[in-house]
Amino acid sequence: MRGVVFDGKQVRVVDDLEVRAPGAGEVLVGIAAAGLCHSDLSVVDGTIPFPVPVVLGHEGAGVVEAVGPGVTHVAPGDHVALSTLANCGACPDCDRGRPTMCRKAIGMPGQPFSRDGRPLYQFASNSSFAERTVVKAVQAVKIPEDIPLTSAALMGCGVLTGVGAVLNRAKVGRGETVVVIGTGGIGLNVLQGARIAGALTIVAVDTNPEKETVARQFGASHFLTSTDGVREILPTGADHVFECVGHTGLVRTAIDLLDRHGQAILLGMTAPKAEAGFLPAAMFLDKSILGCRYGSSRPQRDIPLYAELYRSGRLLLDELVTTTYPVEEFARAVEDAEAGKVARGVLTF
Ligand SMILES: [Zn+2]
Ligand SMILES: [Zn+2]
């Protein structure tokens, strides 16, 4: 079968990939569509160290082809969106509803794939850039069949992370004020999460003025090309400021823009050793700085919720997909992504 493989030097689309049958508690999924996210490219450029050879891809949707012993929540033929969260389901963190904190969800990556008898690693417990992949049962979330799989493919990373950060982590309330710094894949989902939560003023900030139209489409009430203008719109600051760029200077800016009792939510990935400064004295006014992993999501609850919000027109998915590419055109999808031509490119099988 076909798949996108990174061998440590180059990325190639191969057609001689094999995947093992699902074991106990596992599901074999035929991937229909998979989103190309920046994290896949970070594996290739070394920003995210990962053992090789590896089959890339970490957000996708498709159809269940087979289930292993003990799997009852999905059956062959079901449409599913895949999460990257291979949590155990049995530890204290899972039990208290925090699967993103499960310590067993990050560990030794599996090797369900092979080529010529040699094993290949699975990226993010997922590897959606393959015609078929094997995931844990908790990762396969059933979705209604009327949702296009090219759109559902984006749920497993950008939507869970961005909308989840608003609803689950920040818990933005009706009438509150929100600033979103950076309107890439995550930032757009933060914008629509804020709109769904009922935020009153939603200020999008992006240095690229061409982002204004899409930012407003997703929920921004105001658009700025610099954070300098935020205080004119929100003189006392914002209740929630989301940093979606991963720049230490903008982390400081996010904190400086907080109103009393405000919170800065850090979603952008900074370098592991990068430091950011802030004024501790200003935090005295009940301010908070929040980290957030994977939208603090509970995928088996959140993905069906997002599916219903999509069906009722409140969650935008189709608008996130700029271009679809047959998997053979992976290189062109990467070129377009790197040139900033697409909000999200989606590979199809
Ligand atoms: Zn991603
Ligand atoms: Zn667990």
Side-chain angles (χ1 to χ4, degrees):
M1 65 178 188
R2 293 165 295 159
V4 179
V5 172
F6 176 57
D7 64 7
K9 293 194 182 86
Q10 56 170 346
V11 196
R12 278 192 300 157
V13 181
V14 303
D15 60 6
D16 57 351
L17 201 58
E18 291 178 61
V19 67
R20 64 168 170 76
E26 291 180 338
V27 179
L28 176 70
V29 178
I31 299 290
L36 175 64
C37 169
H38 201 265
S39 303
D40 298 298
L41 305 179
S42 296
V43 173
V44 176
D45 70 20
T47 315
I48 297 179
F50 207 87
V52 290
V54 57
V55 180
L56 297 174
H58 65 283
E59 59 177 15
V63 180
V64 173
E65 293 193 356
V67 299
V71 177
T72 54
H73 77 298
V74 288
D78 283 349
H79 287 204
V80 289
L82 302 185
S83 87
T84 65
L85 201 61
N87 61 297
C88 77
C91 72
D93 281 306
C94 283
D95 200 39
R96 74 203 297 193
R98 294 178 187 166
T100 55
M101 297 294 106
C102 175
R103 287 166 210 273
K104 291 180 180 166
I106 302 179
M108 276 302 294
Q111 293 178 304
F113 302 100
S114 63
R115 274 182 82 202
D116 244 347
R118 291 191 306 271
L120 291 87
Y121 286 101
Q122 184 173 38
F123 180 49
S125 307
N126 192 301
S127 290
S128 55
F129 295 168
E131 252 179 288
R132 284 181 205 85
T133 189
V134 168
V135 297
K136 275 191 171 185
V138 289
Q139 297 178 256
V141 185
K142 194 172 171 177
I143 54 169
E145 289 182 15
D146 56 7
I147 297 184
L149 290 169
T150 45
S151 302
L154 303 184
M155 284 189 177
C157 180
V159 176
L160 276 182
T161 301
V163 179
V166 176
L167 302 183
N168 301 326
R169 187 70 175 119
K171 295 186 164 68
V172 170
R174 189 166 29 251
E176 293 186 332
T177 56
V178 172
V179 175
V180 181
I181 303 173
T183 62
I186 300 298
L188 289 177
N189 280 299
V190 172
L191 287 171
Q192 65 175 341
R195 171 174 47 72
I196 289 165
L200 189 60
T201 303
I202 304 173
V203 184
V205 184
D206 200 297
T207 52
N208 181 357
E210 289 177 13
K211 292 294 189 77
E212 175 164 2
T213 307
V214 68
R216 288 186 183 276
Q217 182 185 23
F218 275 75
S221 58
H222 299 73
F223 180 89
L224 301 169
T225 53
S226 156
T227 52
D228 292 344
V230 173
R231 290 276 176 184
E232 285 167 34
I233 300 163
L234 301 170
T236 62
D239 296 317
H240 309 271
V241 182
F242 293 83
E243 203 281 346
C244 307
V245 178
H247 182 280
T248 55
L250 292 173
V251 170
R252 170 62 190 262
T253 303
I255 296 164
D256 287 345
L257 286 174
L258 295 178
D259 199 349
R260 297 178 171 203
H261 202 278
Q263 51 188 18
I265 302 93
L266 309 185
L267 300 181
M269 295 294 281
T270 54
K273 297 275 166 88
E275 293 189 11
F278 66 95
L279 300 180
M283 303 305 289
F284 174 70
L285 290 160
D286 282 18
K287 296 179 189 176
S288 319
I289 302 170
L290 305 180
C292 182
R293 179 181 182 215
Y294 202 44
S296 306
S297 295
R298 300 169 75 174
Q300 293 286 351
R301 176 199 64 176
D302 293 347
I303 288 177
L305 168 67
Y306 300 157
E308 286 311 312
L309 287 169
Y310 167 80
R311 288 166 110 194
S312 62
R314 284 176 284 176
L315 183 92
L316 308 182
L317 291 176
D318 307 320
E319 293 80 356
L320 287 166
V321 182
T322 320
T323 317
T324 59
Y325 308 82
V327 67
E328 288 78 9
E329 294 179 24
F330 176 76
R332 189 164 70 87
V334 172
E335 271 173 35
D336 288 355
E338 287 179 338
K341 279 193 205 162
V342 292
R344 202 61 137 200
V346 169
L347 303 174
T348 56
F349 288 88

